[in-house]
Amino acid sequence: MTDATLLPFDLSAVQRKKLTVDFGGGNQSSNGGLLLLRSAERKLGVCGRLAYAMPDRRDGSRIRHAMFEMVMARVCAIACGHEDAIDLDRLRHDPLMKVAVGRCPQSGAPLASQSTISRLENAPRKTEAARLTAALVDQFGTTIKPGAREILDIDDTFCAAHGAQQLAFWNAHHDERGFAPMHIYHAASGTPVVTILRPARTPKGTEVRTVVKHVTKRLRRHWPNTRIVWRGDSHYGRVEAMEWAEDNDTDYIFGLAGNAVLDTLVAEFADDLRFHHAISGKAKLRTFASFMYQATSWNRSRKVVARLECSLQPVAGETGMRQEVDIRYVVTSLAGSPQHLYENVYCARGQMENLIKIGARVIEHVARIRVQLPTSCPEGALFRAVALGLLLSGP
């Protein structure tokens, strides 16, 4: 069977000039950002480390796709916005996807299909999944040069599930089933430490403690002289995690859900703030407080920081305004003034996301592969700088 060549055709003229369309544009890819991912992998070796951590139970005589090639292809597809494994049936022929995993864009054989990638994703057992998580932590620990104290941000995000995927859980807030993967980032550099797939529900204290414990211990293999500080919202301010941190030379600063007891402890601060706000004429006025507090479920008292903010808010169903005091609480093992701990330490939490996509024409010669990016590429200078910055010496 031979491939039929589609004939050129004409469209409506532009400024009295004929508009002709043909299919002779050559081998092209819409995923030019894969060039940067390839360079990043060659420099950092993330996919290589993951591939090494995964056991390969296949018959060696029948293997056509190396473990690294499959892991690299799957990671590249996700990074370019192709989240479903079925997308690999098309992407396995993409010239830059081939280049990213180390194959020639035209003469190289197609990459692994959806069925092969799906088998790969379902192959790891529970203990092997833990090895992959540890490999990511090791990658981070060997990449970042730490200081005397480093802050790790921990948070989760919702990801809807379309089907009957394992671990999917009903989330009432989002009104659908999905996942709430746990993300850990290095605060100073924004570098991801690890991501852990989990059901879309609020983490229990034992789960938070388990993550804090294992990530801390793994990082200490690389950072033996660094004090680690865990930072997160009230979902992670669990007594189990705080107790483990206190008993293992680790610090924390977590959000703390308010209650009637806490509000009573700061009542005088709130009254004083209302008075000064009323005479100041300012739209908003803040104050901070710090005190020791022991919840019923805690075995010891802990330092709590309160941020109080007074402002005028509209009254529902009325035309007037009234004073309201908004109070936020933080529990921490860190020393420092309440204002510094809240504004400069706790409120610096953040997350990072990334998506790479750009069109490219790929031409394979006998001794050279040429990739032509759009002349009008708005981020051309940035792309060039990043690519050259990731370049390793040698071929």
Side-chain angles (χ1 to χ4, degrees):
M1 180 178 179
T2 59
D3 294 330
T5 302
L6 296 175
L7 297 176
F9 57 94
D10 292 336
L11 296 178
S12 302
V14 178
Q15 296 289 323
R16 296 185 178 180
K17 293 184 178 181
K18 290 184 177 180
L19 179 58
T20 301
V21 180
D22 62 39
F23 297 90
N27 202 10
Q28 297 191 28
S29 170
S30 62
N31 302 303
L34 289 172
L35 295 173
L36 301 183
L37 291 177
R38 176 179 180 268
S39 297
E41 170 59 27
R42 284 171 58 83
K43 184 174 183 179
L44 301 176
V46 180
C47 292
R49 188 184 292 269
L50 291 175
Y52 179 78
M54 294 182 67
D56 194 345
R57 303 183 182 90
R58 298 175 296 170
D59 182 353
S61 64
R62 304 178 67 181
I63 291 177
R64 290 190 296 169
H65 308 286
M67 184 66 73
F68 168 76
E69 292 178 327
M70 294 190 293
V71 173
M72 185 66 178
R74 190 67 182 106
V75 169
C76 287
I78 294 173
C80 288
H82 305 286
E83 300 176 352
D84 294 329
I86 196 171
D87 294 334
L88 270 298
D89 280 342
R90 173 173 54 86
L91 292 173
R92 64 194 299 245
H93 303 286
D94 186 286
L96 287 186
M97 183 69 79
K98 292 182 183 180
V99 169
V101 304
R103 296 188 180 185
C104 291
Q106 287 179 268
S107 59
L111 303 180
S113 64
Q114 173 269 323
S115 58
T116 302
I117 293 297
S118 293
R119 286 193 294 271
L120 170 72
E121 292 182 334
N122 287 281
R125 298 163 182 165
K126 187 175 182 179
T127 55
E128 294 159 357
R131 288 178 56 188
L132 291 172
T133 302
L136 289 175
V137 178
D138 289 338
Q139 176 69 35
F140 166 77
T142 56
T143 301
I144 300 297
K145 183 178 180 180
R149 188 181 82 170
E150 297 293 345
I151 298 176
L152 300 182
D153 281 324
I154 183 169
D155 205 349
D156 55 72
T157 185
F158 180 77
C159 179
H162 304 285
Q165 291 95 331
Q166 296 174 346
L167 297 181
F169 193 83
W170 179 262
N171 186 284
H173 177 75
H174 294 278
D175 197 29
E176 57 184 328
R177 292 174 57 84
F179 309 98
M182 193 178 293
H183 301 262
I184 301 175
Y185 288 90
H186 178 231
S189 65
T191 304
V193 180
V194 71
T195 300
I196 303 170
L197 184 65
R198 54 181 303 280
R201 60 188 177 205
T202 302
K204 297 180 180 179
T206 52
E207 181 182 2
V208 177
R209 177 184 60 196
T210 299
V211 172
V212 168
K213 171 184 174 181
H214 287 290
V215 173
T216 300
K217 287 188 172 183
R218 195 78 186 188
L219 271 183
R220 281 179 174 163
R221 298 184 181 185
H222 310 283
W223 298 358
N225 302 315
T226 298
R227 184 87 174 185
I228 294 176
V229 181
W230 286 90
R231 181 171 65 186
D233 61 21
S234 59
H235 285 175
Y236 297 91
R238 305 293 180 162
V239 64
E240 294 89 346
M242 293 187 286
E243 287 177 353
W244 187 90
E246 292 161 347
D247 295 337
N248 291 273
D249 298 321
T250 304
D251 286 312
Y252 58 84
I253 181 165
F254 293 127
L256 183 65
N259 56 48
V261 176
L262 289 171
D263 292 345
T264 300
L265 292 173
V266 298
E268 290 188 15
F269 294 97
D271 291 339
D272 186 65
L273 180 62
R274 289 189 184 94
F275 172 77
H276 285 89
H277 174 258
I279 64 175
S280 69
K282 296 181 179 179
K284 293 182 179 180
L285 200 62
R286 275 189 175 189
T287 191
F288 299 86
S290 177
F291 51 90
M292 300 303 293
Y293 166 74
Q294 182 173 354
T296 305
S297 60
W298 296 0
N299 62 358
R300 68 187 79 173
S301 59
R302 295 182 170 89
K303 181 179 180 178
V304 172
V305 170
R307 187 275 286 160
L308 300 89
E309 182 175 274
C310 187
S311 62
L312 292 176
Q313 298 294 329
V315 181
E318 301 180 15
T319 57
M321 305 282 283
R322 69 179 177 190
Q323 271 189 334
E324 287 191 3
V325 177
D326 178 66
I327 308 175
R328 301 295 173 89
Y329 299 101
V330 168
V331 58
T332 183
S333 62
L334 298 172
S337 69
Q339 182 173 357
H340 168 74
L341 290 173
Y342 186 85
E343 291 188 335
N344 300 330
V345 181
Y346 179 71
C347 289
R349 296 183 300 123
Q351 294 187 23
M352 297 179 66
E353 296 179 354
N354 187 34
L355 178 66
I356 302 176
K357 270 193 176 183
I358 186 173
R361 183 181 182 185
V362 185
I363 306 172
E364 181 181 341
H365 301 289
V366 175
R368 179 186 296 271
I369 298 171
R370 187 180 299 277
V371 178
Q372 296 179 329
L373 301 179
T375 305
S376 58
C377 178
E379 304 295 343
L382 176 62
F383 189 100
R384 185 178 189 274
V386 172
L388 294 179
L390 292 170
L391 191 63
L392 293 173
S393 59

